[in-house]
Amino acid sequence: ILAGGLPHNVEELVSEYFGGRPSGDARPYRFEGAPPLQGPTILHRSAQHLLNKDNPQESSAAIKICFHMPPLQHQHGSVIGTMGVLLNLNLFKTISQRKGLAYGITASYDGRYNQGLFEISGSIRASAVEKAIDAIFAEIKEIREKPIPEEELKKIRLKAKYGFAKTAEANEGHVDLIEVKLDYGLTQEQWLSSLDAITPGKVQEIAQAYLPADRNGAYVALILDPLKEP
């Protein structure tokens, strides 16, 4: 895919350098979907490289908690993306700013390649790993049990639309949008339209469908802990 300030004779140049080469299969490779997770998988590893040797109790641990989701082209793709923005905001406000359990924490959704991955990752206080994980699942429980306020949903929509507009300003962004259209059949207009159709009740419904109710649910967690013995 070529985008940007291309020369006026770009078609001639393509023909000159590539015209004599055989064409390949233009169909995108379809990746097989991942099987559903069965219960929690916890990978708690020692990470001595993260240890603050002068003050071990002030060390930072790295954490990733991943949940299986439908892929981008699924009918719930845009709702899951919205849920990711909501949880991202809530995690930062509660776990980082209010409780001081994380130095930085984010939530994101990646639905490419016929896979769906919802990931929470961050740098947390190594001396409070269990408290931080409990707080993360408390925030998940919150969006499962309470609909997002309409005003907050409007702000998330506006932020998402601004992100699309910002992406379209750069050549790299144009390439990304073309790839999404070719690979998944989704246009920018379709995605923006789907954002406008999202309701607070729909976000809650999708959270209940795909996020676990507690720490006994289906997910994979990786904890790199400098206070854990090697």
Side-chain angles (χ1 to χ4, degrees):
I1 300 173
L2 301 176
L6 302 175
H8 68 280
N9 63 335
V10 62
E11 293 185 4
E12 294 176 10
L13 293 173
V14 170
S15 178
E16 178 181 349
Y17 290 103
F18 301 101
R21 299 181 180 273
S23 299
D25 188 347
R27 292 175 300 177
Y29 181 82
R30 181 171 179 81
F31 293 86
E32 293 296 327
L37 298 171
Q38 303 296 328
T41 300
I42 313 296
L43 307 173
H44 196 168
R45 302 286 188 260
S46 176
Q48 294 302 298
H49 64 286
L50 297 177
L51 183 66
N52 182 337
K53 295 181 180 179
D54 295 327
N55 192 347
Q57 292 302 309
E58 293 300 319
S59 300
S60 301
I63 187 171
K64 283 190 179 184
I65 304 176
C66 300
F67 309 93
H68 185 257
M69 294 283 162
L72 185 66
Q73 67 271 27
H74 191 274
Q75 60 177 333
H76 296 151
S78 60
V79 188
I80 296 170
T82 301
M83 183 175 69
V85 176
L86 170 64
L87 193 54
N88 187 62
L89 295 171
N90 291 352
L91 288 170
F92 179 73
K93 286 188 294 186
T94 301
I95 297 176
S96 183
Q97 292 186 319
R98 197 171 79 216
K99 296 186 176 181
L101 295 172
Y103 302 103
I105 189 164
T106 61
S108 61
Y109 165 63
D110 187 348
R112 297 173 296 171
Y113 310 121
N114 204 36
Q115 310 290 330
L117 177 69
F118 193 91
E119 178 183 294
I120 295 172
S121 61
S123 175
I124 62 177
R125 282 171 44 201
S127 59
V129 167
E130 291 301 315
K131 285 184 180 180
I133 295 175
D134 283 340
I136 289 170
F137 279 91
E139 289 303 314
I140 291 174
K141 182 179 180 181
E142 182 82 6
I143 66 171
R144 282 174 51 91
E145 295 183 351
K146 296 180 181 179
I148 176 177
E150 181 62 44
E151 283 303 310
E152 191 167 355
L153 181 56
K154 286 181 180 179
K155 292 178 182 178
I156 291 174
R157 284 198 200 100
L158 288 174
K159 185 176 181 180
K161 290 179 178 181
Y162 172 79
F164 273 112
K166 194 71 176 176
T167 296
E169 288 181 355
N171 295 332
E172 183 180 0
H174 282 292
V175 171
D176 289 341
L177 293 173
I178 293 169
E179 284 183 339
V180 169
K181 183 177 180 181
L182 292 175
D183 291 346
Y184 311 114
L186 294 173
T187 65
Q188 185 176 1
E189 291 74 20
Q190 288 173 317
W191 192 260
L192 291 174
S193 177
S194 69
L195 288 175
D196 289 330
I198 295 173
T199 64
K202 193 65 178 178
V203 175
Q204 183 183 16
E205 176 189 332
I206 297 308
Q208 292 172 348
Y210 297 114
L211 291 176
D214 53 40
R215 290 181 63 168
N216 296 317
Y219 62 92
V220 176
L222 171 64
I223 306 164
L224 301 179
D225 187 351
L227 300 183
K228 182 177 175 63
E229 291 296 326

